[in-house]
Amino acid sequence: FDLFAHLPKIKFLMENVPYLPEWNPRWYFGSPNFRFYSPLTYYLAAVIGCLFRLSLFDCLKVFIILMNTIFALSLYGLAKEFGLSDAEGLFSVVLALTSYNILYWWMHSALPYTTSTLLSYTALYAFLRAVRKQTLPVLLFTAVSISLVLLSHMLPGFFLFIMLLCLSVIRIFQNPNLLLIPRGANQPPHYTLRLPKVFFLSTFLA
């Protein structure tokens, strides 16, 4: 299982906090500590382990529960943003959490990749909420959510960017006022650029 190949990095950080050496002699036959994977996942897991004085495997359990909880809340919020009912949102969460794919990702995929993938749902939810609310706190929350995805793993961050573009196009087709307001015959439209502003500001801040 690829999951267990990442545990030495977490243990190494837990044993050396607050000193964070650049070289990790325990990962394979020695490697730069954060050359191959983004560091956020390892930092979060190590902080949880140190704060609550957990063993390595207990730390991993708490971390997985925390990520699954964030994923579930984000997926429910995302369902509500798409106009689903409370029951439909809860059903989506139950269906996702009991899916074999989630367990397979945790066990067979790289730990940072799985973390970044699940956090992508938070970024998608935050983006749709920012488009609807158009407030600074929600915009900052969107930027932070995108940053967390990128700091966990770059590849899901790339997929997230594509999904944000697709969602933007869909939202504009659903509600053209997010881009422009027609003024009638022989008059140029009034460009609101509400959605493009949210997209570029959130990605730029991230």
Side-chain angles (χ1 to χ4, degrees):
F1 295 143
D2 192 48
L3 170 67
F4 298 114
H6 296 267
L7 296 185
K9 285 195 171 189
I10 299 174
K11 184 176 182 180
F12 186 67
L13 285 177
M14 291 172 62
E15 292 175 347
N16 288 276
V17 169
Y19 174 64
L20 302 175
E22 297 181 0
W23 183 262
N24 187 347
R26 297 182 182 177
W27 207 59
Y28 292 95
F29 295 99
S31 66
N33 218 6
F34 302 117
R35 178 67 58 85
F36 303 106
Y37 290 98
S38 301
L40 181 63
T41 300
Y42 306 117
Y43 281 135
L44 288 177
V47 166
I48 291 173
C50 292
L51 284 178
F52 298 100
R53 298 182 179 180
L54 302 174
S55 66
L56 180 60
F57 284 99
D58 287 339
C59 169
L60 181 63
K61 293 176 186 176
V62 172
F63 179 78
I64 291 177
I65 291 172
L66 176 62
M67 289 298 107
N68 282 342
T69 302
I70 294 174
F71 165 68
L73 294 174
S74 301
L75 185 59
Y76 178 80
L78 192 60
K80 297 294 291 182
E81 290 295 328
F82 279 116
L84 300 182
S85 65
D86 292 338
E88 291 170 330
L90 289 174
F91 180 76
S92 300
V93 171
V94 172
L95 189 64
L97 290 179
T98 56
S99 170
Y100 177 73
N101 291 335
I102 297 293
L103 178 61
Y104 184 88
W105 280 349
W106 280 121
M107 298 303 296
H108 295 276
S109 183
L111 183 61
Y113 184 88
T114 307
T115 302
S116 183
T117 301
L118 296 185
L119 289 176
S120 297
Y121 288 83
T122 305
L124 291 173
Y125 161 68
F127 175 75
L128 291 180
R129 187 174 177 82
V131 170
R132 180 169 57 86
K133 291 286 189 179
Q134 300 278 316
T135 59
L136 182 59
V138 180
L139 182 64
L140 293 176
F141 175 62
T142 305
V144 171
S145 301
I146 296 174
S147 299
L148 292 177
V149 174
L150 295 173
L151 289 173
S152 298
H153 201 290
M154 291 299 295
L155 185 57
F158 173 74
F159 294 143
L160 172 64
F161 183 77
I162 295 177
M163 294 180 68
L164 290 177
L165 285 176
C166 294
L167 273 178
S168 299
V169 173
I170 293 172
R171 281 303 197 205
I172 289 174
F173 273 106
Q174 292 175 335
N175 184 8
N177 291 342
L178 294 174
L179 181 63
L180 56 86
I181 299 176
R183 289 183 174 178
N186 300 323
Q187 291 186 356
H190 172 64
Y191 289 94
T192 60
L193 301 178
R194 290 173 57 192
L195 192 147
K197 287 177 183 177
V198 172
F199 179 85
F200 287 110
L201 283 175
S202 58
T203 52
F204 174 77
L205 291 174

